[in-house]
């Protein structure tokens, strides 16, 4: 709860003020001056001024209003054992909300009422506002739940329970605002996209054109945010909503972590300037575009196949026409293994090739975000390295949990689908 916020400042400062080089002491005697320099950057260059707070808070409140007012299909979550198998309903209006946000931002930008470049120009202060918001909301949620709400699965350790959370599915305004869905989908990915757009607009204002590298990042982040919105009905059935509580881990990560660390490549590309990328070959750039789009196709359709398969079993599948509905996104009568519990393990489609093929595609996209920036700085590769660690741990955790739950059926499944990440390799 302390280290990661400092790391976020550190990565941004390295890009903005040190050309992507890590801020490190040159000798033992330079340790204290370097630390002092780092905290001086935070105090001066990342001070959360009022304008930054207005931008961040206005955006969050605006997304809340859209969440409660935009039209969308109704999706159902999983039965919640701790609440007598209660099934929550979610209005999945992410597509309407996202493109309404884009339209409003475009009007404000083109009329000079508010410039999207203000995001980049005030990135440090906005970063501070996001960090403070994530911390404040986490602590407020914990204590308000303990005083007036219904805490779930508490450990007795205050620090641990603040980190993991007290409430499971907190809602406001008579249930119209689901805080978990709002914070996980409507805040981080939209901000991430607009940070890249801000860098592109900033570059256009300064140079009169946008480099292929920034076009690449805008496309990459649009693909991600659009996928979250068009497939929003799949999200309430995921582990985060069924089991994870709403605490610092989810709150801070969504309000601050995701939007302000996944954007490092875009920030770095703008900071380096077009001259740095002049020697990047057309073949190299084109190859990365192809890799990105193919990895996205696998990631999108694999996730869609799995979740829609589960939803069909519960007869709550919600057909969508939101763009793009990709070929092979929905399987008809896919092959599966029936367990002693009565559950079905999907072995059709992509899931017959590798057990975590969606993770592989996600990691390939993450790696492409770094490769498009070149090799002069490790900072743009932070997302890939961090994500690799997270997904490796999650894979191990899932394997242990499923092995315990399904027993011999899991062994049968692993024999049927022996590869974890890459078919015929690993």
């Amino acid at each position: 709860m302390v280290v990661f916020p400092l790391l976020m400042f550190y990565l941004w400062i390295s890009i903005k003020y040190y050309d992507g080089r890590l801020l490190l002491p040159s000798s033992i005697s330079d340790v204290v001056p370097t630390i002092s320099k780092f905290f001086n950057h935070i105090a001066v260059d990342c001070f959360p001024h009022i304008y930054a707070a207005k931008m961040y808070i206005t955006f969050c409140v605006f997304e809340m209003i859209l969440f409660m007012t935009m039209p969308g299909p109704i999706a159902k979550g999983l039965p919640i054992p701790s609440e007598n198998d209660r099934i929550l309903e979610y209005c999945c209006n992410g597509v309407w909300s996202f493109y309404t946000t884009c339209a409003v931002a475009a009007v404000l930008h083109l009329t000079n009422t508010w410039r999207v470049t203000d995001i980049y120009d005030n990135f440090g202060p906005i970063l501070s506002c996001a960090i403070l918001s994530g911390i404040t909301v986490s602590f407020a949620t914990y204590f308000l739940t303990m005083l007036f709400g219904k805490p779930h699965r508490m450990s007795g350790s205050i620090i641990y329970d603040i980190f993991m959370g007290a409430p499971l599915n907190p809602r406001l305004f008579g249930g119209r605002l689901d805080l978990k869905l709002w914070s996980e989908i409507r805040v981080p990915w939209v901000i991430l996209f607009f940070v890249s757009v801000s860098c592109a607009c900033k570059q256009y204002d300064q140079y009169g054109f946008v480099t292929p590298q920034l076009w690449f990042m805008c496309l990459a982040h649009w693909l991600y945010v659009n996928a979250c919105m068009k497939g929003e009905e799949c999200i309430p059935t995921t582990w985060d909503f069924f089991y994870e509580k709403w605490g610092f881990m989810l709150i801070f990560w969504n309000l601050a972590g995701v939007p302000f660390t996944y954007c490092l490549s875009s920030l770095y590309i703008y900071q380096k300037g077009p001259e740095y990328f002049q020697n990047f070959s057309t073949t190299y750039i084109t190859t990365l575009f192809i890799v990105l789009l193919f990895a996205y196709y696998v990631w999108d359709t694999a996730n869609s196949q799995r979740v829609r398969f589960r939803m069909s079993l519960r007869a709550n599948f919600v057909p969508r026409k939101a763009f793009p509905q990709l070929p092979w996104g929905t399987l008809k009568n896919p092959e599966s293994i029936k367990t002693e519990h009565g559950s079905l393990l999907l072995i059709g489609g992509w899931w017959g090739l590798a057990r975590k093929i969606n993770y592989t595609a996600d990691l390939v996209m993450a790696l492409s975000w770094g490769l498009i920036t070149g090799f002069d700085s490790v900072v743009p590769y932070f997302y890939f390295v961090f994500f690799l660690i997270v997904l490796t741990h999650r894979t191990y955790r899932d394997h242990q949990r499923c092995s315990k739950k399904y027993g011999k059926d899991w062994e049968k499944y692993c024999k049927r689908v022996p590869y974890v990440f890459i078919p015929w390799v690993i």
Side-chain angles (χ1 to χ4, degrees):
M1 288 192 284
V2 175
V3 174
F4 201 83
L6 291 177
L7 178 61
M8 293 171 66
F9 283 123
Y10 179 77
L11 294 171
W12 159 241
I13 289 168
S14 295
I15 288 176
K16 178 66 175 177
Y17 300 102
Y18 299 93
D19 201 36
R21 297 185 301 273
L22 298 179
L23 175 59
L24 298 171
S26 57
S27 63
I28 296 297
S29 61
D30 191 40
V31 171
V32 174
T34 300
I35 294 175
S36 176
K37 187 183 299 183
F38 168 65
F39 281 101
N40 184 66
H41 276 302
I42 296 177
V44 176
D45 303 312
C46 300
F47 185 79
H49 52 63
I50 294 176
Y51 182 56
K54 283 182 178 179
M55 280 193 285
Y56 184 79
I57 295 173
T58 299
F59 167 78
C60 290
V61 172
F62 182 63
E63 292 304 312
M64 286 183 176
I65 294 172
L66 294 178
F67 188 101
M68 294 186 288
T69 57
M70 289 288 105
I74 302 298
K76 293 182 178 181
L78 295 174
I80 304 173
S82 58
E83 297 186 9
N84 298 319
D85 289 333
R86 181 165 69 110
I87 297 177
L88 296 175
E89 293 187 342
Y90 299 83
C91 181
C92 299
N93 55 18
V95 172
W96 275 98
S97 297
F98 173 56
Y99 287 103
T100 298
T101 302
C102 290
V104 171
V107 170
L108 293 175
H109 179 79
L110 294 174
T111 59
N112 287 316
T113 304
W114 169 80
R115 300 286 292 177
V116 71
T117 51
D118 287 359
I119 298 174
Y120 179 85
D121 291 337
N122 297 276
F123 187 87
I126 297 174
L127 170 62
S128 294
C129 291
I131 289 173
L132 292 173
S133 296
I135 295 172
T136 302
V137 172
S138 299
F139 278 82
T141 299
Y142 171 79
F143 287 111
L144 288 173
T145 302
M146 296 303 293
L147 291 173
F148 308 108
K150 184 180 179 182
H152 289 256
R153 306 190 313 270
M154 307 305 289
S155 70
S157 168
I158 293 180
I159 299 299
Y160 179 82
D161 288 334
I162 290 175
F163 183 82
M164 296 305 298
L168 183 61
N169 297 105
R171 292 187 164 195
L172 299 176
F173 304 109
R176 295 171 61 198
L177 176 62
D178 186 275
L179 291 172
K180 189 182 281 187
L181 185 62
W182 165 79
S183 67
E184 187 161 321
I185 305 302
R186 309 306 177 80
V187 175
W189 304 110
V190 179
I191 292 179
L192 177 64
F193 173 70
F194 274 103
V195 170
S196 289
V197 172
S198 179
C199 292
C201 290
K202 185 78 175 173
Q203 189 177 73
Y204 183 82
D205 286 351
Q206 186 171 350
Y207 300 100
F209 63 91
V210 177
T211 59
Q213 287 75 16
L214 265 180
W215 279 119
F216 179 94
M217 292 310 305
C218 287
L219 172 63
H221 291 161
W222 174 80
L223 288 171
Y224 228 104
V225 65
N226 186 71
C228 289
M229 301 307 175
K230 78 182 180 73
E232 191 176 25
E233 76 281 358
C234 301
I235 295 170
T237 62
T238 60
W239 181 260
D240 283 358
F241 283 77
F242 169 71
Y243 187 81
E244 298 286 10
K245 295 180 291 182
W246 204 56
F248 180 88
M249 182 178 71
L250 290 183
I251 295 172
F252 182 86
W253 187 237
N254 288 316
L255 296 187
V258 168
F260 295 99
T261 55
Y262 289 14
C263 64
L264 293 172
S265 292
S266 299
L267 298 171
Y268 177 79
I269 291 169
Y270 171 74
Q271 194 66 32
K272 293 296 289 186
E275 301 82 6
Y276 171 76
F277 299 101
Q278 286 180 348
N279 294 327
F280 281 46
S281 71
T282 302
T283 302
Y284 179 76
I285 296 171
T286 303
T287 299
L288 286 179
F289 269 96
I290 294 171
V291 168
L292 171 69
L293 291 172
F294 179 72
Y296 170 79
Y297 172 76
V298 176
W299 174 77
D300 186 300
T301 52
N303 284 316
S304 177
Q305 287 177 0
R306 179 188 59 183
V307 177
R308 288 176 177 176
F309 170 71
R310 292 175 179 173
M311 294 174 73
S312 296
L313 294 177
R314 293 188 297 272
N316 64 353
F317 172 59
V318 181
R320 299 293 300 274
K321 295 182 179 180
F323 178 83
Q325 294 298 313
L326 300 174
W328 218 32
T330 303
L331 299 174
K332 295 182 179 180
N333 303 315
E335 188 179 358
S336 60
I337 295 175
K338 189 170 184 178
T339 68
E340 293 180 358
H341 292 265
S343 305
L344 295 179
L345 300 176
L346 179 63
I347 55 174
W350 291 112
W351 302 95
L353 300 178
R355 302 199 296 271
K356 294 293 183 182
I357 197 166
N358 59 325
Y359 287 1
T360 304
D362 220 349
L363 286 170
V364 171
M365 288 193 290
L367 179 59
S368 73
W369 297 7
L371 292 174
I372 197 67
T373 69
F375 303 95
D376 282 357
S377 174
V378 299
V379 176
Y381 291 88
F382 167 79
Y383 168 50
F384 170 73
V385 174
F386 173 79
F387 208 35
L388 178 63
I389 295 171
V390 169
L391 293 185
T392 301
H393 173 264
R394 189 178 294 176
T395 300
Y396 173 78
R397 181 194 66 180
D398 290 350
H399 179 77
Q400 295 298 109
R401 180 170 56 86
C402 291
S403 179
K404 182 179 180 180
K405 179 178 179 179
Y406 297 115
K408 293 183 179 179
D409 290 320
W410 186 252
E411 294 178 8
K412 180 181 177 181
Y413 169 72
C414 291
K415 288 181 180 179
R416 175 61 178 80
V417 188
Y419 303 103
V420 181
F421 295 112
I422 304 175
W424 308 290
V425 178
I426 184 174

